[in-house]
Amino acid sequence: MEKKLQISVSLVRGVRNLLQPINRLPPELLTLIFRQTQSHLPDFLPIRDLSSSSWQWLSLLQVCRHWRGLIASSPQLWSELDSGILPERFLKRSSAVPLKAYLGLKLYNLSEDMLDSIAAQSMRFQELHLDADSWHSSATIFHQFKCPAPILTSLTLVTDGRDIVSGALPQLFSGEMPSLRKLCLKHLTSWPKGYFQNLTHVCLYDQNEITRPTMDEFLDFLSDSPFLEELALVRAGPTRMDGAAQFHSPPSRTVSLPHLRQLDIGEWPSAPLVARFLSHLHLTANTDMYFWGDGMLNAAQPDSEIARSLALLLPEDISRLENMRGIKKWYLARQPRVILDTPFISVTGSADDKDRTLYMYGTFSASQLVPTQLLSRYPVSEVECLTVRDSCMDTDNANNLDVGFWRELLQGLPKLKKLEVLAFRSIGFTRAIVGALMPQSGTVAQQPSLPCSQLASLTVEHDVSLPAYCIRTMAEARARCVPPAARLEHLRVLVFDPNPQNVRQRRRRLRSMSISEAGSSTGSNSDSDETEDIGFENEARTREEEEYRMHTEDDRRLLEECVEIPGEVKFEYGVPLSVGLVPDAWPTAAYNFTRGRRGAL
């Protein structure tokens, strides 16, 4: 009777559970909901969070018998196999559905028998992401994958060279991977002929330097994938000079990549090598390019100081680089490494909107930014919006960019309409740019030349060193050279909190004064000292804020009273620093993946 009672109670609970609203859904729909709770990785450059959150969906098995049975009998929920998470159970319950296998992503404690069982399912492999160096057996792991993989679409092979001779990839899947479209390889530099063709996504990184391909060999590889959409070469690619080829020699052949949407080149030895590679490519207007690394953007070259110029990143002839046309925005930011540790240059944007944008971001020195060199390589004559930022004034790489530099640069931007000067704690930076906008006196028979005659909007960051008088003087001088309709329409000043460095100095002064005045006093307790320190800090902060507000109000009145600025003079508060100085897609997936961050294979 007790057994029958237990069965009856169990049946009642089951019926009551089935009457819950969510359990009234069809099993197919409930399975789709369960699938949405899973964390799915991208099929190209899969970066995974190694925390347990990615597998929390397994807790659904403990909700009720109905859910447990439904999940256990749904092969799609078990189609992503990880060597560190119950591989036997996933392999069994995935039945015959296509598999996404991650081997070595978390743990690599598979037995040889288990690996043989997984490798035997290569007919079902849709994706394979393998860290070969995580295999602890003496046997070569590549030899385990012998059977064909007819539906394999994405392959990632990560190795530091174990069981690899001269960077050559051992035979995989009997060479039968007809559906492969996305490929990521580390260290490997060569593979059997005909292995990889018609690829759409390629990432090569940390290749063996000695056996890297020559330019002709790599162009042959690209020619076999005319539908390539993404290409990432990080410490890899045709960086080895072949024959008598020189950096500036005319390209002997050109490979057209009409479908390429993104090109990543990172940590190459020098900028001229990048230019040499680009001279062999024909890219459409829809290709975004990202270049990063100290070796080609910051490090000094042994030849001469001019070898450090950012202009050498592009070939002399960029007629086949259609994505360099129509650049309308230019962001030039010199930032210390505490903000972003890797210098980069990028050209991005929508070709349909004709809104291509050039980004230059790093601790660049003045010798890298020679205007004549930049203007000769980068097609910026159509730029309408220029944003410049300098936060390197207090660093070892200050190299002030003076009035002459900015005057020469702005002369190459005849269509400039909007200028943003973002200088925080860089006292002379804003003054130099404002001075470059001043009209240049001509001869008696000539009118003064006016830099950026179409300039209508000026934005300036404001700390305690806003050169308001210089800005007003510049506006008055330009007003004498252009009709009222062509004068500044908008003057925007971004106002920030008082300089924290000044606040700290004021606090230290006040504290030292208080200590000297109370030097003869004795018997004070720590609580009273702490309260007194807080009081002095509050007093210093209040005085600093009052002084700052007074400067700001004086600057506002000085600029608002300038009749030569017929448009709006606007002071804005609380605008965050460095907004929009980097592309939305930066850092790219290739940058994150190849940096070896936590979660990458």
Side-chain angles (χ1 to χ4, degrees), residues 396-413:
D396 295 335
N397 197 34
N399 292 312
N400 296 345
L401 306 179
D402 56 15
V403 176
F405 169 88
W406 292 110
R407 183 176 296 127
E408 191 174 2
L409 185 70
L410 293 176
Q411 287 177 351
L413 308 176

Side-chain angles (χ1 to χ4, degrees), residues 50-341:
L50 295 185
S51 66
S52 60
S53 60
S54 58
W55 296 100
Q56 284 184 351
W57 73 272
L58 290 172
S59 61
L60 298 176
L61 291 167
Q62 304 173 8
V63 173
C64 66
R65 183 183 304 171
H66 174 59
W67 283 22
R68 184 162 57 251
L70 186 59
I71 292 174
S73 59
S74 301
Q76 288 290 346
L77 297 177
W78 304 89
S79 61
E80 297 186 9
L81 184 151
D82 192 307
S83 59
I85 304 293
L86 307 172
E88 300 91 343
R89 185 178 302 180
F90 275 76
L91 192 62
K92 179 180 178 180
R93 291 184 175 178
S94 61
S95 185
V97 300
L99 278 178
K100 299 179 182 179
Y102 303 89
L103 306 183
L105 181 59
K106 289 188 176 182
L107 300 174
Y108 214 108
N109 54 358
L110 287 177
S111 64
E112 292 193 30
D113 293 339
M114 192 64 220
L115 181 61
D116 289 341
S117 299
I118 295 175
Q121 302 297 320
S122 61
M123 297 291 289
R124 292 202 286 141
F125 283 168
Q126 184 177 13
E127 298 179 24
L128 174 61
H129 307 284
L130 171 65
D131 185 349
D133 290 343
S134 297
W135 176 242
H136 301 305
S137 173
S138 58
T140 302
I141 190 171
F142 297 105
H143 295 165
Q144 306 291 327
F145 301 93
K146 302 176 182 178
C147 301
I151 65 171
L152 183 68
T153 60
S154 180
L155 175 64
T156 301
L157 298 178
V158 175
T159 178
D160 289 326
R162 177 185 170 184
D163 300 325
I164 302 297
V165 179
S166 299
L169 173 68
Q171 191 178 47
L172 285 174
F173 306 117
S174 299
E176 298 185 28
M177 298 170 280
S179 302
L180 187 64
R181 296 294 177 265
K182 301 182 180 182
L183 176 69
C184 177
L185 300 178
K186 179 183 179 183
H187 181 79
L188 302 167
T189 55
S190 62
W191 37 85
K193 186 176 178 60
Y195 252 36
F196 306 127
Q197 296 181 346
N198 296 319
L199 299 175
T200 59
H201 296 67
V202 173
C203 176
L204 306 175
Y205 72 106
D206 290 346
Q207 284 186 328
N208 186 344
E209 294 184 8
I210 300 176
T211 61
R212 288 181 186 176
T214 63
M215 184 63 71
D216 285 336
E217 290 172 345
F218 193 77
L219 293 179
D220 289 338
F221 169 67
L222 293 182
S223 299
D224 290 336
S225 299
F227 299 101
L228 200 62
E229 297 178 11
E230 291 189 25
L231 176 61
L233 304 172
V234 183
R235 300 176 293 276
T239 62
R240 180 161 59 99
M241 296 297 293
D242 51 326
Q246 300 296 324
F247 288 147
H248 300 290
S249 60
S252 58
R253 59 183 293 196
T254 302
V255 174
S256 179
L257 299 175
H259 302 278
L260 192 66
R261 294 183 287 103
Q262 183 168 317
L263 173 63
D264 289 78
I265 295 181
E267 301 291 351
W268 277 28
S270 67
L273 280 173
V274 180
R276 177 172 174 256
F277 175 58
L278 294 178
S279 67
H280 292 274
L281 301 183
H282 182 190
L283 304 179
T284 68
N286 295 312
T287 304
D288 291 341
M289 299 192 301
Y290 298 87
F291 311 102
W292 71 85
D294 282 309
M296 59 188 185
L297 295 181
N298 264 359
Q301 301 296 324
D303 300 338
S304 64
E305 195 69 15
I306 193 174
R308 305 176 63 188
S309 173
L310 299 183
L312 296 183
L313 192 68
L314 296 180
E316 294 180 0
D317 181 10
I318 61 172
S319 59
R320 286 185 291 269
L321 300 180
E322 299 178 12
N323 57 337
M324 295 298 296
R325 302 174 186 172
I327 295 178
K328 297 300 179 70
K329 294 182 180 180
W330 184 5
Y331 291 89
L332 175 57
R334 297 203 307 162
Q335 301 279 84
R337 287 190 177 267
V338 295
I339 299 178
L340 190 65
D341 63 351

Side-chain angles (χ1 to χ4, degrees), residues 582-599:
V582 299
D584 293 336
W586 180 262
T588 65
Y591 175 88
N592 286 333
F593 190 89
T594 59
R595 291 265 291 186
R597 293 182 176 177
R598 188 172 184 265

Side-chain angles (χ1 to χ4, degrees), residues 534-546:
I534 295 175
F536 281 121
E537 290 182 3
N538 292 335
E539 181 182 355
R541 187 182 303 110
T542 301
R543 292 182 182 179
E544 186 73 21
E545 291 175 354
E546 290 178 356

Side-chain angles (χ1 to χ4, degrees), residues 361-382:
Y361 196 109
T363 53
F364 304 129
S365 64
S367 61
Q368 294 178 272
L369 300 171
V370 178
T372 54
Q373 298 173 8
L374 292 180
L375 297 174
S376 66
R377 295 290 181 95
Y378 292 89
V380 293
S381 58
E382 300 293 323

Side-chain angles (χ1 to χ4, degrees), residues 513-528:
M513 291 171 57
S514 66
I515 293 175
S516 62
E517 292 174 358
S520 58
S521 301
T522 57
S524 60
N525 57 55
S526 59
D527 292 338
S528 61

